[in-house]
Amino acid sequence: MLKILLTADQIRTRVAELGAQIDRDYPTGPVYLIAILKGACFFLADLARAMKTPSRIDFVGISSYGKGKSTSGEVRLTKDLDASIEGCDVIVVEDIVDTGITLTYLMKVFAQRKPRSLRIATLLDKPERRQRQVEVHYTGFRIPDKFVVGYGLDYAEDYRNLKDVCVLSDDEP
Ligand code: IMP
Ligand code: MG
């Protein structure tokens, strides 16, 4: 069963606020927005357009989740960046921070590449589930410990194209 948690309108408003905040923090740019495939693509596309500061985009592929709802705890880089980030202002764009395992791994990898600055922007945060502490600079919404889909987030590759973020439960409708 799907139940709306965040409407497309709420998301649009919040993404605009985050874009404005990033503009203030990086007045000149360019800012390298790096989305974690595949879930963060929708957020990246909207965030980049909500910003006035010039941006460049890149993508990184990570596998940390299986097909189910729980993490495997194992993180692997499946697609690397196209270009060097040395000396660049980088914002890693994520759909949701859950246990923190994915971002802890990725931030370690990216920090070694000597960017000028390195921050995280996430649309959603489930703080109750955290196993590794990660410093998140830009958070769209803090949400309860529920499995959510839509606006890029999937369950076994389904539901990514929903405009709202919805809670997916096993209950019958
Ligand atoms: P972490 O390493 O546990 O923080 O995992 C974060 C990743 O797990 C996210 O990028 C999502 O792909 C996935 N994930 C965590 N919670 C959810 C959820 O509620 N719905 C869909 N995917 C989720
Ligand atoms: Mg993801």
Side-chain angles (χ1 to χ4, degrees):
M1 193 181 90
L2 291 171
K3 240 173 92 181
I4 294 181
L5 180 69
L6 300 163
T7 65
D9 260 357
Q10 284 175 290
I11 296 168
R12 197 176 309 114
T13 302
R14 187 67 188 123
V15 171
E17 288 169 0
L18 292 177
Q21 199 181 337
I22 293 172
D23 285 346
R24 287 194 294 277
D25 293 349
Y26 303 84
T28 51
V31 177
Y32 271 81
L33 299 175
I34 298 176
I36 305 179
L37 293 170
K38 306 169 194 168
C41 288
F42 293 67
F43 179 38
L44 172 110
D46 287 342
L47 184 64
R49 285 176 291 182
M51 289 165 51
K52 292 198 181 78
T53 292
S55 63
R56 296 176 182 172
I57 65 169
D58 205 343
F59 299 90
V60 71
I62 286 254
S63 81
S64 63
Y65 250 62
K67 283 183 178 156
K69 291 182 180 176
S70 61
T71 182
S72 65
E74 209 181 285
V75 184
R76 213 160 42 89
L77 209 66
T78 56
K79 186 223 170 285
D80 206 340
L81 300 173
D82 290 339
S84 164
I85 52 169
E86 194 175 334
C88 299
D89 288 314
V90 173
I91 301 179
V92 175
V93 179
E94 178 59 308
D95 50 5
I96 186 165
V97 186
D98 188 31
T99 62
I101 291 171
T102 306
L103 278 171
T104 301
Y105 167 81
L106 199 60
M107 294 305 266
K108 216 169 89 188
V109 171
F110 284 174
Q112 287 166 356
R113 299 180 183 185
K114 302 188 171 46
R116 188 155 75 132
S117 66
L118 182 59
R119 288 184 171 182
I120 294 170
T122 188
L123 179 75
L124 306 174
D125 184 5
K126 278 199 269 194
E128 285 168 53
R129 297 250 312 160
R130 201 72 89 251
Q131 289 177 28
R132 311 265 164 87
Q133 280 322 307
V134 279
E135 197 187 345
V136 181
H137 274 90
Y138 307 101
T139 301
F141 303 90
R142 290 202 170 77
I143 62 165
D145 181 11
K146 298 266 164 60
F147 195 84
V148 290
V149 294
Y151 197 74
L153 292 137
D154 73 306
Y155 174 58
E157 295 300 327
D158 288 329
Y159 308 112
R160 290 193 196 276
N161 63 323
L162 298 179
K163 292 186 174 70
D164 312 304
V165 168
C166 301
V167 173
L168 179 70
S169 65
D170 300 328
D171 312 339
E172 292 303 314

